[in-house]
Amino acid sequence: MLSPTGWGALVGGTGLVGAGYGFGYPEAAVLGVGCLLAVAAALVRTGRSPRLAARRRVTPRKVARGDRADGSVTLSSAGRRVRRGLEVVDRCGELPLVLRIPPLAAGAEHTVRYALPTGRRGRITLGPLRLERTDPLGLARRVRVFGPGEGGTDTLLVRPRVCPLPVLPSGTAHHVEGPTSDTADEGSLTFHALREYVLGDDLRRVHWRSTARTGTLMVKQLVDVSLPHTTLVLDTRTAAYRTEDDFELAVDCAASVAFAAARSHFPVDVLSETGTVLRTDGAGGNDAEALLDRLALVRRSERASAAGAFDGLEQTRRRGSLTVITGTGDATGLGALDRVRRRFDRTVVLRTGGGAEDAPHEPSALGSDVPQLRVTALESLVAAWRSEAVR
């Protein structure tokens, strides 16, 4: 297809030819013919699609926020001639990445590497790759969009940053090796909920009555109530944080606390004012990775109050630790913590960001005897959390 410059040359050349012959100006006619010949040559040069294969590689596919991730595009020529004027455009979310390709000989291949943006959490969509070929004057352009399997779309998952933390001691017995059948106390397994059967589940836990009623194979989910159980409430309200960086720090703190418990195969519940974010029972081998994947997609909400995060905790039995993570902004609804905190062995509040002294929060709403840890950077969380763990 013609570029805007090409259309200008075509229209201008046609006008010059007409004016030159109509008014007797041979110089204008010659100039117009030159423009038309240039457009024709550009169309011929870009008319045939080059026989090229493309493949993209993303390393790694999951990365912590701020860490390095690289993309690479390899083009290989299957034609018989040297290909020049090639340009590959890849997309990283909404950002176009223009990759210059040098002249590509027959049978040769060329790889272009580029850094991917990892400053913000989330799932970043890459592609599809677009191969653009232009003539030297930029009059015509041919675009080829690569389909699946040959440089189509791909994804990069940017997850929260985590720091190594101990698990807060809680519960009546602490199985430091996790909920293994050799160390779990006899009789400590308690019915928690019903869920659909997953390949590998113990068939002795099938709940036949529910299976017959729903038509779906249902199994009983059991938890070891003697193990340290971590309940984490993440305040995702926009009003609770002064800046977006403060919210990102809150998610990093939540990921660090939850990851420490899940990595030790302890049960973890992550809640927000919009509902349950993720719940693990400690029996899955990939719970820690699943937590990071889910927290990578958490976004801020426009809810006016954080009270909804505590509604489901009023009926829970007393167990484990409760960690509330919020910012230094609006504290509406955090007073609901006082209704549920006595159901847990211990409660800790993490407040992320600066400006806590001037923030419009209500300290009494959180309870004077509830430890509040101020976190201004992820590195400062380690010392404060370790002090709380041994308190």
Side-chain angles (χ1 to χ4, degrees), residues 87-374:
E87 186 176 279
V88 172
V89 179
D90 201 0
R91 295 197 69 86
C92 186
E94 299 299 322
L95 178 67
L97 302 175
V98 180
L99 312 176
R100 305 290 181 179
I101 306 298
L104 202 60
E109 67 176 29
H110 180 75
T111 300
V112 180
R113 294 178 175 82
Y114 49 95
L116 299 175
T118 62
R120 292 296 179 198
R121 291 175 303 106
R123 181 178 286 113
I124 300 176
T125 301
L126 304 176
L129 281 177
R130 288 161 41 98
L131 176 65
E132 300 183 0
R133 188 184 183 196
T134 61
D135 66 289
L137 297 179
L139 301 179
R141 180 182 301 270
R142 185 177 185 89
V143 178
R144 173 187 171 187
V145 179
F146 289 92
E150 56 170 4
T153 58
D154 210 333
T155 57
L156 168 69
L157 187 64
V158 181
R159 307 196 294 188
R161 295 172 56 207
V162 296
C163 60
L165 298 178
V167 180
L168 285 183
S170 62
T172 57
H174 302 158
H175 297 283
V176 296
E177 297 300 329
T180 62
S181 58
D182 293 333
T183 60
D185 294 336
E186 184 177 357
S188 63
L189 291 179
T190 302
F191 172 76
H192 177 61
L194 289 174
R195 60 174 174 82
E196 292 187 12
Y197 172 83
V198 177
L199 185 64
D201 283 339
D202 190 346
L203 293 177
R204 291 174 296 180
R205 296 184 179 179
V206 174
H207 194 268
W208 297 109
R209 186 173 300 176
S210 299
T211 299
R213 185 175 64 254
T214 62
T216 303
L217 197 59
M218 305 294 291
V219 296
K220 293 180 286 186
Q221 181 179 350
L222 305 179
V223 298
D224 190 344
V225 297
S226 68
L227 295 176
H229 191 115
T230 298
T231 301
L232 194 149
V233 172
L234 174 62
D235 190 353
T236 62
R237 296 175 302 126
T238 300
Y241 301 93
R242 289 174 169 264
T243 66
E244 186 175 355
D245 288 337
D246 290 350
F247 174 68
E248 291 298 322
L249 177 58
V251 178
D252 289 347
C253 292
S256 299
V257 174
F259 184 79
R263 183 181 54 186
S264 299
H265 304 293
F266 295 141
V268 179
D269 290 347
V270 182
L271 312 171
S272 75
E273 71 279 357
T274 60
T276 301
V277 177
L278 189 68
R279 175 171 290 143
T280 69
D281 57 10
N286 294 321
D287 285 351
E289 295 297 317
L291 275 167
L292 295 181
D293 291 348
R294 181 63 187 88
L295 288 173
L297 305 178
V298 169
R299 290 292 177 262
R300 290 193 283 183
S301 76
E302 300 303 323
R303 296 287 180 92
S305 172
F310 303 97
D311 292 342
L313 300 178
E314 292 187 276
Q315 306 301 323
T316 188
R317 58 184 297 167
R318 177 185 172 122
R319 58 175 183 173
S321 63
L322 172 62
T323 302
V324 179
I325 301 178
T326 185
T328 58
D330 179 67
T332 303
L334 290 179
L337 170 63
D338 193 56
R339 304 197 310 261
V340 302
R341 63 188 180 89
R342 290 179 176 82
R343 296 181 177 274
F344 296 87
D345 297 318
R346 62 193 304 172
T347 301
V348 180
V349 175
L350 300 182
R351 301 180 58 224
T352 64
E357 296 78 6
D358 303 324
H361 72 285
E362 302 175 12
S364 59
L366 301 178
S368 58
D369 58 339
V370 176
Q372 297 187 42
L373 308 182
R374 173 83 175 279

